[in-house]
């Protein structure tokens, strides 16, 4: 099977979070192709619109579900066309690509999940995965920051997670509106309010690199090793098979070596800007 | 590290060497064509040498040589009727396998959805005549990317499958050459089926594979003899020793990673036009983009692949965020990838020392000079 061939997949459910963000549940036209799409949370598919183009979108559903969910924000031409699609429409999928979050080796550890902005989709699938296997993990702390209050999507998901046992969920907005009842400020300020055991804790981070750089710095000062911090890296992913060259970050092809990296392995390529 | 252009058992080398008198070069071309190959060789065209299909040895750049310098390339008349004195031109073998533009998929759409199928090229068996050691090494570099990676590329493979290479050892280097820094030349070492070394009246010829040996045997050539083989050796040593440029690769890739914040990047970023010439002429650069071209009648689309360049402004662009907004960032990406990160990615350097990026840079940025400056610790 040629890895660049997209598989037709039908949209069976669409959930909109405002005009710009839509979650699609999809079913492959050819049910026999479903095993090819077995994935780990944090992996992504290339979502294809015939005649328009392809975009890399992380898979936000649970690996054990039959349908595949992608949460897509309108950021350009292809995603704008996808936003017009609805139930019954057919898109193309190829994947899954990338390595996924290291959730297996995080078993029985505490998790500190730090996310910023709209790009939290790569983590939300991982969080659901953890809570469906709740007994396998220790304390879960979810810290999520947005710029404007309106940027918070999936609020109901955070409320569900908040009710999980042994779980801390904190939300913060840099530019809150009047209705905002959570914290004010940037996500790294929340670190002052949470306690964690540096030896038992594994960190998952996703969001703007400036935020992750600063967050990793603070966490390191609090005794957490960079070996225990994992970041989801965003780059221009065109082919997803490590051949087109666009997603490089130092020696890494983010599409196939990532998009999740142990921070200690990215080292200076993460710290140096504009690579 | 420069290496001796010749090693191995001298006696073997002598016994394996044949002599092809220059007037008989046509016989070699005819033999290749007779075996069903189209023959691609360097030919002078529009003031440069390019690889193109030939039927006759008369098409080769006879009595020509080139002068190369940073930002400069000229073909010049030379005395004698040697045919392989022009070291190289802007084009390498790359476009023959990794096409500058090609259709990947045919996509048909209808009310029920779409159907995509791959469109693989049908390429005739191809023999390349006159391939330099640097370009042969570059072919190996591209093979490791497109043929031997986790996702072998079906389109590259379709073009690459049925190929025969007749290499030519360099007895003359251009002023921009530095293959000895990477051990890729001036003598072809691996990947060729036949190899020729040009002398005053003809060529010392040896085979590198059974397929090459078959062609050679078919020509019933006389032995080259010890004298010619010794002369060949001397010419290769002289060529290697005469190369003026070089890159000290000691400590790569780590040394380059340690120079990511060097002030030289900003200085070179001021000179670089970000035109992408260097990546277009580079025999190993592999960046490309894929895009859809919808059919005008709405029946579907074709998915097209085209060369791209890390010097393109949008190369590292993600929805409104550009990871390399300035030219200096892009130049750094190109050089650190080519000479450094490539080693981590593919186990070898991405540079073969052909010097094309120096010659075809409109402002004459010289990668060997850049590395020398980067090796010096910032003040």
């Amino acid at each position: 099977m040629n890895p660049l061939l997209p598989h037709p997949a039908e949209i069976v459910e669409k959930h909109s979070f405002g005009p710009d963000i839509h979650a699609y549940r999809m079913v492959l036209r050819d049910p026999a192709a479903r095993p090819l799409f077995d994935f780990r949370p944090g992996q992504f598919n290339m979502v294809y619109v015939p005649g328009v183009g392809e975009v890399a979108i992380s898979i936000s559903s649970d690996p054990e579900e039959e349908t595949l969910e992608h949460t897509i924000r309108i950021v350009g031409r292809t995603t704008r066309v996808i936003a017009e699609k609805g139930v019954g429409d057919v898109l193309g999928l190829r994947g899954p690509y990338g390595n996924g979050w290291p959730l297996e080796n995080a078993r029985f550890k505490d998790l500190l999940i730090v996310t910023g902005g709209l790009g939290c989709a790569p983590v939300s699938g991982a969080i659901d995965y953890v809570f469906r296997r709740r007994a396998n993990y220790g304390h879960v702390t979810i810290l999520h920051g947005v710029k404007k209050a309106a940027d918070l999507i999936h609020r109901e998901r955070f409320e569900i997670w908040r009710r999980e046992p042994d779980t801390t969920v904190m939300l913060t907005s840099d530019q809150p509106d009047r209705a905002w009842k959570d914290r004010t400020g940037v996500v790294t300020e929340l670190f002052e309010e949470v306690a964690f055991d540096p030896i038992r804790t594994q960190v998952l981070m996703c969001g703007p690199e400036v935020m992750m750089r600063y967050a990793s710095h603070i966490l390191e000062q609090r005794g957490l090793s960079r070996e225990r911090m994992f970041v989801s890296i965003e780059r221009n992913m065109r082919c997803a098979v490590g051949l087109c060259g666009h997603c490089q970050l130092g020696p890494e092809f983010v599409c196939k070596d990532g998009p999740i990296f142990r921070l200690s392995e990215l080292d200076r390529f993460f710290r140096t800007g504009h690579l | 590290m420069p290496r001796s252009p010749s090693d191995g058992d001298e006696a073997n080398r002598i016994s394996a060497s044949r002599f092809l008198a220059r007037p008989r070069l046509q016989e070699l071309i005819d033999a290749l064509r007779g075996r069903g190959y189209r023959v691609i060789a360097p030919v002078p065209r529009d003031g440069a040498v390019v690889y193109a299909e030939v039927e006759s040895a008369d098409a080769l750049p006879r009595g020509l040589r080139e002068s190369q310098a940073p930002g400069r390339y000229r073909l010049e008349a030379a005395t004698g009727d040697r045919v392989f004195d022009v070291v190289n031109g802007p084009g390498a073998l790359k476009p023959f396998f990794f096409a500058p533009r090609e259709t990947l998929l045919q996509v048909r759409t209808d009310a029920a959805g779409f159907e995509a199928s791959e469109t693989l090229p049908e390429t005739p068996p191809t023999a390349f005549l006159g391939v330099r050691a640097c370009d042969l090494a570059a072919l190996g570099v591209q093979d490791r990317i497109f043929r031997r990676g986790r996702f072998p590329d079906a389109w590259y493979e379709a073009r690459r499958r049925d190929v025969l290479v007749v290499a030519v050892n360099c007895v003359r280097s251009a002023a921009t050459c530095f293959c000895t820094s990477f051990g890729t030349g001036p003598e072809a070492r691996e990947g060729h089926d036949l190899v020729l070394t040009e002398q005053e009246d003809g060529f010392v010829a040896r085979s590198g594979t059974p397929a090459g040996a078959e062609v050679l045997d078919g020509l019933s050539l006389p032995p080259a003899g010890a004298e010619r083989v010794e002369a060949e050796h001397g010419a290769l040593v002289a060529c290697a020793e005469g190369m003026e440029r070089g890159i000290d690769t000691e400590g790569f890739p780590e040394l380059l990673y340690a120079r990511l914040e060097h002030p030289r990047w900003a200085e070179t970023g001021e000179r670089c036009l970000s035109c992408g010439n260097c990546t277009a002429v580079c025999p190993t650069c592999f960046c490309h983009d894929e895009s859809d071209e919808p059919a005008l009648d709405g029946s579907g689309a074709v998915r097209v692949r085209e060369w791209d360049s890390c010097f393109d402004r949008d190369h590292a662009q993600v929805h409104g965020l550009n990871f390399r907004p300035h030219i200096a960032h892009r130049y750094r990406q190109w050089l650190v990838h080519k000479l450094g990160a490539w080693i981590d990615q593919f186990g070898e350097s991405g540079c073969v020392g052909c010097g094309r990026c120096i010659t075809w840079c409109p402002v004459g940025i010289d990668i060997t000079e850049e590395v020398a400056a980067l090796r010096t610790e910032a003040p």
Side-chain angles (χ1 to χ4, degrees):
Chain A
M1 183 76 197
N2 194 311
L4 295 189
L5 271 177
H7 296 257
E10 188 179 328
I11 299 169
V12 293
E13 211 181 301
K14 179 180 182 180
H15 190 88
S16 299
F17 305 92
D20 289 347
I21 301 170
H22 309 275
Y24 299 87
R25 285 206 167 261
M26 288 186 248
V27 173
L28 294 160
R29 265 286 160 76
D30 175 12
R34 179 61 183 83
L36 299 173
F37 283 84
D38 282 347
F39 70 97
R40 293 184 300 279
Q43 286 193 290
F44 65 95
N45 282 327
M46 295 303 288
V47 180
Y48 173 61
V49 188
V52 182
E54 268 187 334
V55 279
I57 307 284
S58 59
I59 310 166
S60 47
S61 46
D62 192 272
E64 284 174 22
E65 290 174 285
E66 189 59 27
T67 56
L68 297 161
E69 188 195 63
H70 292 92
T71 305
I72 300 173
R73 179 163 65 101
I74 299 180
V75 290
R77 185 164 154 263
T78 305
T79 48
R80 185 162 294 116
V81 177
I82 294 174
E84 291 161 14
K85 303 288 179 188
V87 172
D89 286 331
V90 173
L91 297 172
L93 293 179
R94 59 183 180 93
Y97 298 115
N99 52 2
W101 294 102
L103 293 173
E104 276 304 309
N105 70 23
R107 277 160 71 97
F108 310 116
K109 288 187 187 135
D110 295 341
L111 292 176
L112 173 57
I113 298 162
V114 185
T115 55
L118 294 154
C120 67
V123 184
S124 61
I127 297 173
D128 283 333
Y129 179 93
V130 166
F131 286 141
R132 284 180 194 215
R133 298 149 185 85
R134 189 68 193 88
N136 291 345
Y137 296 90
H139 190 85
V140 177
T141 305
I142 300 167
L143 309 179
H144 180 59
V146 289
K147 193 149 93 182
K148 298 187 203 117
D151 292 342
L152 180 70
I153 63 158
H154 283 315
R155 175 178 272 280
E156 75 291 348
R157 253 173 158 164
F158 288 98
E159 298 308 327
I160 292 166
W161 294 335
R162 210 193 283 274
R163 290 196 290 273
E164 289 282 344
D166 205 12
T167 299
T168 308
V169 175
M170 293 171 79
L171 304 172
T172 185
S173 167
D174 204 13
Q175 297 167 21
D177 58 16
R178 268 193 219 158
W180 186 262
K181 292 195 173 52
D182 289 87
R183 311 298 167 109
T184 299
V186 295
V187 70
T188 44
E189 289 171 43
L190 299 176
F191 290 159
E192 292 164 23
E193 300 181 42
V194 296
F196 53 80
D197 176 350
I199 303 302
R200 277 184 53 88
T201 303
Q202 184 158 307
V203 181
L204 313 183
M205 272 193 273
C206 180
E209 281 178 31
V210 200
M211 178 279 277
M212 296 196 288
R213 238 174 257 141
Y214 187 52
S216 61
H217 177 69
I218 296 177
L219 292 172
E220 205 171 16
Q221 286 183 330
R222 299 253 320 251
L224 243 156
S225 152
R226 295 167 84 86
E227 308 256 322
R228 295 171 184 278
M229 299 185 211
F230 293 85
V231 292
S232 176
I233 294 292
E234 187 174 26
R235 278 296 181 277
N236 185 13
M237 296 200 268
R238 311 290 298 169
C239 77
V241 292
L243 289 180
C244 81
H246 290 86
C247 69
Q248 291 177 82
L249 173 58
E252 314 290 351
F253 289 100
V254 173
C255 72
K256 70 181 171 85
D257 304 325
I260 318 291
F261 292 93
R262 190 190 291 270
L263 201 50
S264 54
E265 282 163 13
L266 272 188
D267 190 39
R268 70 195 122 194
F269 305 110
F270 185 68
R271 272 180 270 163
T272 308
H274 303 301
L275 275 181
Chain B
M1 283 289 281
R3 60 178 172 74
S4 158
S6 173
D7 57 7
D9 185 6
E10 201 191 330
N12 275 346
R13 196 176 164 93
I14 293 170
S15 69
S17 299
R18 298 280 174 274
F19 179 64
L20 176 70
R22 189 171 292 108
R24 296 187 65 185
L25 186 57
Q26 184 64 43
E27 289 176 45
L28 172 59
I29 294 175
D30 292 341
L32 294 169
R33 289 170 53 80
R35 282 162 195 271
Y37 293 106
R38 62 168 175 162
V39 177
I40 306 280
V43 299
R45 182 177 292 171
D46 302 329
V49 153
V50 296
Y51 282 111
E53 181 163 4
V54 299
E55 292 178 12
S56 160
D58 294 339
L60 299 172
R62 188 180 302 267
L64 287 175
R65 57 173 53 185
E66 92 283 39
S67 128
Q68 299 194 45
R72 186 176 188 281
Y73 183 99
R74 297 284 184 281
L75 282 186
E76 292 162 357
T79 51
D81 52 2
R82 296 166 77 103
V83 294
F84 292 121
D85 255 1
V86 180
V87 176
N88 62 26
L93 296 183
K94 179 170 86 170
F96 290 96
F97 306 115
F98 168 37
R101 182 187 158 87
E102 67 181 317
T103 301
L104 298 178
L105 307 176
Q106 175 72 49
V107 183
R108 290 179 206 293
T109 53
D110 56 35
F114 74 93
E115 196 181 335
S117 53
E118 59 190 20
T119 51
L120 294 178
E122 281 175 33
T123 312
T126 305
F128 292 92
L129 169 64
V131 176
R132 302 294 165 155
C134 55
D135 285 353
L136 194 58
L139 181 60
V141 171
Q142 287 234 314
D143 280 354
R144 279 178 277 282
I145 296 163
F146 288 111
R147 296 184 104 180
R148 300 207 250 287
R150 202 198 303 173
F151 298 99
D153 187 77
W155 295 272
Y156 183 93
E157 183 61 31
R159 293 192 178 84
R160 181 69 178 89
R161 202 173 292 138
D162 204 350
V163 164
L164 190 135
V165 175
V166 183
V168 167
N169 291 325
C170 290
V171 293
R172 181 184 166 259
S173 65
T176 42
C177 291
F178 55 100
C179 61
T180 47
S181 296
F182 294 95
T184 51
E187 185 183 11
R189 286 301 179 102
E190 56 175 11
H192 57 274
D193 298 280
L194 280 172
V195 60
L196 309 176
T197 306
E198 188 161 28
Q199 297 184 330
E200 239 9 83
D201 51 353
F203 311 88
V204 174
R206 272 183 303 275
S207 60
T209 60
E214 227 183 282
V215 174
L216 207 55
D217 290 348
L219 294 175
S220 308
L221 299 176
E227 205 174 310
R228 284 189 180 282
V229 174
E230 271 163 37
E232 177 197 29
H233 178 78
L236 295 175
V237 170
C239 179
E241 287 174 352
M243 241 171 268
E244 291 160 23
R245 280 185 162 74
I247 284 182
D248 177 3
T249 58
E250 184 75 34
F252 286 7
E254 284 305 318
L255 183 124
L256 291 169
Y257 297 160
R259 298 289 192 273
L260 290 172
E261 310 277 13
H262 199 286
R264 181 74 178 193
W265 302 118
E267 291 164 29
T268 309
E270 289 292 314
R271 296 173 64 204
C272 173
L273 306 176
S274 209
C275 69
N277 263 18
C278 50
T279 60
V281 297
C282 178
T284 66
C285 271
F286 59 86
C287 280
H288 58 265
D289 202 5
E290 289 162 17
S291 59
D292 259 43
E293 293 181 357
L296 289 176
D297 62 1
S299 63
V302 285
R303 190 141 183 87
V304 172
R305 167 154 73 193
E306 268 182 292
W307 285 3
D308 199 357
S309 167
C310 55
F311 286 94
D312 189 280
R313 202 176 54 177
D314 297 336
H315 193 266
Q317 173 97 24
V318 189
H319 55 81
L321 179 62
N322 195 337
F323 288 101
R324 296 182 212 117
H326 300 303
I327 293 177
H329 305 142
R330 293 173 221 150
Y331 187 77
R332 177 177 66 181
Q333 167 61 25
W334 179 72
L335 188 144
V336 174
H337 180 223
K338 184 70 56 191
L339 298 172
W342 208 298
I343 299 170
D344 280 332
Q345 293 168 345
F346 302 106
E348 64 189 341
S349 177
C351 180
V352 295
C354 72
R356 287 186 176 92
C357 58
I358 304 172
T359 298
W360 299 95
C361 175
V363 296
I365 295 172
D366 178 345
I367 190 172
T368 65
E369 206 177 280
E370 293 308 304
V371 171
L374 289 164
R375 291 196 77 93
T376 317
E377 288 247 31

